[in-house]
Amino acid sequence: MKKIVLVLTTALLFVSLASAQITIGAKGIFTLNTGTKGTEDFEKSLPNIDLGALASLSTKPEMVIGGGGGLFVRYNMPFLSSLGIQTGLDVLANNGYKVNGTLTTFLGRESTLTATATYTSLELPILVTYDIGLGPVTLTLLLGPNISFPINKMKVTTALNSSSATDEWNIANKAIFGITGGAAVALRLGPGSLVTDIRYINDFTPVKAGEKDSENPMDLFTRRALALSLGYQIRL
């Protein structure tokens, strides 16, 4: 009896997947790294700064602009066509954190500081989607986990008055887990649809500096970013 139930369940799953509505697409992405939270360790480790000579260091975060592109696929089940699952792969460049501030020495001398740290990542969102039809326009709500894989070293640039220094730091994280959500609007155009979406990415853990599997990596910052995209999708 258990074998029969298993066979029937498997067959039903395959039939559902075979008759699912599948949509594929490609998009360009524009990101605004805003709300990213930095750490004291990050500021203390910046190149071109002699902390021993400082009486105070006052900084405030600023927005970092990035971008990239990606491919995606969405499955809408036949028994509830408005509900689906969307995944894909996005490449995002210039993820990062930037601060502007003032350094004051014990002698009262002030210097202007600008520090920027950026890296590139491969993003894997796994989203639950819900479609709302509005004539030729479809509104899609999206929410789900996001897995980020840093794929290069962290580039850190510090400008202090007229001098600057650039360094590269290894990233200890193999993967960074977070959540993403937002909404997309698709307008029928030709054989497919022109689609734009807005999503917010919130990582749960900070980017860490150090070798892979390092026992004591240094926390740098926790990414929070707004992602805007424009692309084209086709239903198969």
Side-chain angles (χ1 to χ4, degrees), residues 96-134:
Y97 182 59
K98 180 180 180 179
V99 293
N100 281 333
T102 302
L103 292 82
T104 305
T105 67
F106 287 104
L107 297 178
R109 180 183 175 185
E110 292 187 348
S111 300
T112 301
L113 165 73
T114 300
T116 306
T118 58
Y119 69 99
T120 300
S121 63
L122 185 65
E123 307 287 317
L124 175 62
I126 305 171
L127 306 169
V128 176
T129 66
Y130 186 78
D131 295 335
I132 302 172
L134 303 170

Side-chain angles (χ1 to χ4, degrees), residues 21 23 41 45 65 74 76 90 95 110-111 115 125 135 162 187 192 206-207 210 225 231:
Q21 298 173 355
T23 303
D41 287 342
S45 302
I65 297 174
R74 184 167 67 249
N76 287 82
D90 301 330
N95 299 291
E110 292 187 348
S111 300
S162 59
L187 174 65
V207 183

Side-chain angles (χ1 to χ4, degrees), residues 50-70:
D50 180 11
L51 291 177
L54 292 181
S56 65
L57 172 59
S58 175
T59 62
K60 64 176 182 178
E62 293 204 355
M63 184 184 302
V64 177
I65 297 174

Side-chain angles (χ1 to χ4, degrees), residues 207-219:
V207 183
K208 300 174 182 288
E211 299 296 331
K212 301 292 184 183
D213 300 319
S214 174
E215 293 184 1
N216 296 299
M218 179 177 61
D219 291 350

Side-chain angles (χ1 to χ4, degrees), residues 3 10 16 19 36 49 51 53-54 64 73 78 88 95-96 100 103 110 128 177 191 193 228:
K3 291 183 178 180
T10 304
S16 297
S19 57
T36 296
I49 295 179
L51 291 177
L54 292 181
V64 177
V73 58
N95 299 291
N100 281 333
L103 292 82
E110 292 187 348
V128 176
F177 294 89
S193 299
L228 310 172

